[in-house]
Amino acid sequence: MLFSKKAPEPQRQTFVIAGITVNVYSQPKATKPGAPVAVMFLLHGRNGSALKMGEFVNGIFDEIHAHRKKHGGEAQDLYIATFDQRNHGKRMVDKKANQGWFDDPEQNNDRHAIDMYAIQTGTAQDVSYLIDFLPSYLFPNEERAISQFLCVGKSLGGHATWIVLRNEPRIKVAVPIIACPDYLALMSRRAKSHKLPVGPPYFPKALLDLIHRADPAAAPYTASDASNPFLGKKILVLSGQDDKKVPWTTAAKDFVENLNVGPHGVKEVIVEPGVGHDFSPAMVKECARFVWQHALAA
């Protein structure tokens, strides 16, 4: 196990919302019964699943439990929701569509750039969809009030988290982990390493048009006016200094350093030395600290 248990075992409720299985975890008696509830979506990576995020759920709850014991007060309750990204876990339809580019024809997926963008964009849409419907399943008689929704994601789930930050105004606090906000910066590098063009058939014009229109990097993210969808948002960026799959320097650094969240927003960046493409225990600790500070105790 990555984490030693410090807190009571979280309870899990499972809902099927129009075919999407959603697991919702909570800590028993963490707060007073009437305390507001913050719901965090925790998104898994490529070839992962909702259930494989269980250890990270436990790790985050352990850290939040430690903050509650240390600080006390009237902090909000935390629920953590996980679900399978499209074409993953129980939603798997075509395993090869989750593969990348390979020299081996049996493994190679020529549509890698299309499939990966389709998945992360779809997952971001699923988050917005679940924000609409999850409250009715969790609290059908208005037993508790949901105060806010958060989004945390690793790898492919982190890419989706950046899209959520751009498109979903109800998400104010988010933590993209080992993730990329600039799809073409990431995929152009991958294509070059396989001697593939950033053009048809690997990058059809329709896909490039979509990316140039809808990607986080296509938004006016440096602007100081309402055209910038990131203004006022509170974002913790976690990356590994030795990440080869989603390198900090080529996939995220320029965007993040120039990202303007405005005077009421928060931007923190931690690039962990000696860590590759991994959601490390130190990152779990920092994620929980940021959520505590900017969502639960705020």
Side-chain angles (χ1 to χ4, degrees), residues 47 64 112 128 147 201:
N47 295 318
I64 295 296
H112 174 45
S128 292
S147 59

Side-chain angles (χ1 to χ4, degrees), residues 146-211:
I146 296 177
S147 59
Q148 59 187 310
F149 290 91
L150 328 172
C151 195
V152 174
K154 59 166 287 196
S155 193
L156 181 64
H159 308 338
T161 298
W162 276 116
I163 297 172
V164 169
L165 276 165
R166 176 190 168 158
N167 293 332
E168 180 48 76
R170 293 172 291 183
I171 296 286
K172 303 292 187 185
V173 178
V175 185
I177 301 155
I178 51 174
C180 177
D182 186 337
Y183 191 67
L184 282 181
L186 174 67
M187 297 305 288
S188 297
R189 178 180 172 275
R190 283 192 192 172
K192 184 178 180 181
S193 71
H194 290 276
K195 298 181 172 59
L196 300 176
V198 182
Y202 303 99
F203 293 79
K205 181 180 182 298
L207 176 67
L208 291 171
D209 288 347
L210 174 63
I211 294 167

Side-chain angles (χ1 to χ4, degrees), residues 176-253:
I177 301 155
I178 51 174
C180 177
D182 186 337
Y183 191 67
L184 282 181
L186 174 67
M187 297 305 288
S188 297
R189 178 180 172 275
R190 283 192 192 172
K192 184 178 180 181
S193 71
H194 290 276
K195 298 181 172 59
L196 300 176
V198 182
Y202 303 99
F203 293 79
K205 181 180 182 298
L207 176 67
L208 291 171
D209 288 347
L210 174 63
I211 294 167
H212 290 311
R213 183 175 70 250
D215 205 51
Y221 62 90
T222 63
S224 298
D225 58 28
S227 67
N228 181 352
F230 300 98
L231 283 184
K233 303 216 170 178
K234 298 174 181 180
I235 306 168
L236 171 63
V237 179
L238 296 173
S239 290
Q241 193 174 68
D242 298 339
D243 192 338
K244 303 293 190 255
K245 287 186 178 179
V246 185
W248 162 250
T249 53
T250 56
K253 186 174 184 284

Side-chain angles (χ1 to χ4, degrees), residues 69-102:
K69 289 182 69 175
K70 180 178 179 180
H71 300 289
E74 298 298 321
Q76 297 180 28
D77 206 348
L78 176 67
Y79 283 31
I80 299 178
T82 67
F83 63 93
D84 290 323
Q85 294 209 49
R86 298 187 185 200
N87 202 47
H88 284 75
K90 295 179 181 178
R91 302 171 78 183
M92 176 69 74
V93 177
D94 180 4
K95 191 171 183 179
K96 193 170 185 178
N98 294 338
Q99 295 287 86
W101 292 307
F102 290 93

